[in-house]
Amino acid sequence: MSRIRIFFLLPILLAASCAPEATGPVAVETAPAAQPAITEEGRAALDAFIEETVVDRGVPKVVAMVANADGIIFEGAYGKQSVADGIDARLDSIFSLASMTKPITSVATLMLAEEGAFGLDDPVSMYLPDLADRDVVTEIDAEAGVYRTEPARSEITIRQLLTHTSGLAYNFANPTMQAMIDISGERNLMNLPLVDHPGTAWNYSGSTGVLGNLVAEVSGVPLDEFLRSRIFEPLGMVDTAYSVPDEKRGRVVTVHRAVDSELVEDEVPETVGSGVRGDGGLYGTAADYIRFLRMILNGGELDGTRILSPESVELMLTNQMGDIIVETQVSTNMARSLDFPVGAGADTWGLGFQITAPESAMPDMRSTGSFTWAGINNTHFWGDPERGIVAVILMQQLPFYGEDAMAAYQGFEQRVNQNLVR
């Protein structure tokens, strides 16, 4: 097992200078609030917990990082990047980020909205005509092998795509969508009816894939090029892309799948890449993604480079779907995913992130107003503006939300919060 040394940033202490006595009002300079850090004991506790997770809980590899606004305060790599080849996990190991692509595409969408390319409440069909005049399923008769539809009451808006209230759904997490596939034989989800009228319910979906198409159409630049030139290069995300070049292939981690209570390891393919999509497909490292999250934590700016306005970041981090709440997504393929997410039944959605509701906040876990999402292979992140931190924990195994992976994720989060100091 590899064990990479971790470190933390000490708060910067500013010494107060003596000022001469004055007869009038004196302006008092106050030192900026100290950034959160992790104690030495906390580093040891996190280290021990993740090592135990790798040894005892069936999680072959973990790379984890925590950062405050100024930089990384914890990092570690554990287990094997490739078990079969005996290659240790590294801090710069490259993971399939899958749906952790979605927040990045959401940022790209808001960048164009800031530039006046479109309004958030515009019908997306103004720019992608194929999205006009959608039908909505109203009844499914599985026995007869038919489903019935009616015209959607309204067009899908860009805001609804950002909040997953478009009526689109993934079949692996929506029995209605899976039933329509079973009846029709149609595999392209975009050719099937919506599962709800736009703006009436939250369904995890490929809505962000549509946003990727929107970004490319409106900007006139392919999505991968837009993300590279407008987000990755400015933020210094040097290892994030839709494909991994040959010289970096040796850093790509393998994926494990649960088969008959055993983990089966898949080899890294000769060509690493899964196509350019707004809702998935990116590969990257924990260090790259933590830079993206620090940009969000800093109100849209990182190291002097501004990506988004503070106002747009505020939209991303506050409820943008009214009284609608995040609902449990019921798996139709238990080998791929269990039911998810944590916080269903209370949490809301901003423009790209799940937002923690007061009812979901728990002691030693994330605070109200925290933001989060994940990727199908159990890559997870969260940001806690109240505590002033962002964190990623990257694994690479199926099913999504499997017991061992979730124990690692939630145990890590708990120990991070228990050991933060200012």
Side-chain angles (χ1 to χ4, degrees):
M1 178 191 307
S2 67
R3 181 172 181 265
I4 292 182
R5 184 173 177 82
I6 54 181
F7 63 90
F8 65 103
L9 302 178
L10 292 173
I12 298 174
L13 302 178
L14 300 179
S17 60
C18 297
E21 189 172 340
T23 56
V26 177
V28 178
E29 292 188 7
T30 58
Q35 289 290 331
I38 294 177
T39 64
E40 186 173 353
E41 294 79 7
R43 292 182 294 131
L46 284 167
D47 207 24
F49 170 74
I50 302 176
E51 287 183 341
E52 180 184 355
T53 293
V54 170
V55 171
D56 296 334
R57 292 203 62 92
V59 179
K61 75 266 298 175
V62 177
V63 176
M65 289 188 183
V66 186
N68 60 28
D70 293 337
I72 294 170
I73 59 176
F74 172 88
E75 58 184 1
Y78 311 83
K80 297 296 182 183
Q81 178 180 292
S82 170
V83 174
D85 295 330
I87 301 173
D88 290 340
R90 302 165 25 170
L91 290 174
D92 66 351
S93 290
I94 295 173
F95 289 75
S96 168
L97 298 176
S99 287
M100 282 172 56
T101 303
K102 288 179 169 71
I104 296 174
T105 303
S106 298
V107 164
T109 303
L110 289 171
M111 293 171 75
L112 289 173
E114 284 186 356
E115 295 167 7
F118 43 71
L120 295 180
D121 295 309
D122 286 351
V124 70
S125 60
M126 291 174 58
Y127 313 96
L128 301 173
D130 288 349
L131 273 293
D133 302 322
R134 297 302 300 259
D135 288 334
V136 179
V137 64
T138 58
E139 182 183 354
I140 292 180
D141 187 338
E143 212 171 283
V146 296
Y147 55 81
R148 297 172 181 82
T149 66
E150 66 183 19
R153 297 175 195 140
S154 60
E155 293 288 318
I156 298 170
T157 68
I158 295 169
R159 187 185 303 271
Q160 289 162 354
L161 291 166
L162 284 160
T163 57
H164 292 280
T165 57
S166 64
L168 295 167
Y170 283 133
N171 60 302
F172 80 89
N174 189 286
T176 298
M177 182 61 77
Q178 184 60 53
M180 287 192 288
I181 290 174
D182 293 341
I183 290 169
S184 67
E186 175 62 63
R187 307 301 301 178
N188 186 340
L189 303 185
M190 298 303 297
N191 292 337
L192 289 166
L194 305 177
V195 298
D196 287 294
H197 287 278
T200 64
W202 186 88
N203 294 288
Y204 187 49
S205 72
S207 290
T208 325
V210 177
L211 292 175
N213 296 340
L214 175 70
V215 168
E217 177 66 25
V218 171
S219 70
V221 177
L223 178 63
D224 54 344
E225 172 62 20
F226 187 97
L227 297 184
R228 182 189 63 78
S229 63
R230 298 289 301 274
I231 297 177
F232 302 151
E233 289 183 352
L235 290 179
M237 297 171 66
V238 296
D239 287 320
T240 304
Y242 282 99
S243 61
V244 179
D246 290 342
E247 62 270 22
K248 296 182 180 181
R249 181 179 175 274
R251 291 159 51 197
V252 176
V253 303
T254 58
V255 178
H256 282 77
R257 297 173 290 109
V259 179
D260 297 329
S261 301
E262 298 288 336
L263 282 177
V264 175
E265 184 175 33
D266 294 333
E267 293 182 1
V268 175
E270 287 298 321
T271 301
V272 181
S274 58
V276 178
R277 311 190 322 273
D279 58 337
L282 283 175
Y283 288 79
T285 62
D288 273 10
Y289 211 85
I290 211 87
R291 291 189 63 80
F292 173 75
L293 295 176
R294 285 180 58 217
M295 178 271 293
I296 298 294
L297 186 65
N298 279 297
E301 181 270 339
L302 184 67
D303 297 339
T305 297
R306 179 156 294 283
I307 301 297
L308 278 181
S309 69
E311 293 77 14
S312 289
V313 173
E314 181 71 13
L315 292 176
M316 295 193 80
L317 303 187
T318 54
N319 178 25
Q320 297 295 312
M321 56 184 197
D323 294 334
I324 300 170
I325 58 173
V326 171
E327 300 283 1
T328 297
Q329 303 299 280
V330 178
S331 175
T332 64
N333 182 347
M334 300 296 279
R336 183 169 174 78
S337 174
L338 306 188
D339 296 353
F340 67 93
V342 170
D347 285 0
T348 58
W349 201 269
L351 299 184
F353 298 108
Q354 182 179 343
I355 308 300
T356 304
E359 299 91 328
S360 297
M362 296 181 291
D364 295 334
M365 300 300 281
R366 65 198 62 173
S367 308
T368 299
S370 294
F371 59 97
T372 186
W373 202 237
I376 192 71
N377 294 319
N378 284 294
T379 55
H380 298 269
F381 72 85
W382 81 93
D384 191 330
E386 183 175 312
R387 288 189 170 95
I389 60 167
V390 290
V392 295
I393 177 166
L394 305 182
M395 296 166 276
Q396 206 78 165
Q397 62 194 83
L398 294 170
F400 183 52
Y401 261 57
E403 179 181 352
D404 292 337
M406 289 305 292
Y409 172 28
Q410 294 184 299
F412 175 65
E413 179 179 342
Q414 182 184 46
R415 285 160 179 80
V416 167
N417 291 328
Q418 288 172 339
N419 291 287
L420 277 179
V421 295
R422 285 187 180 272

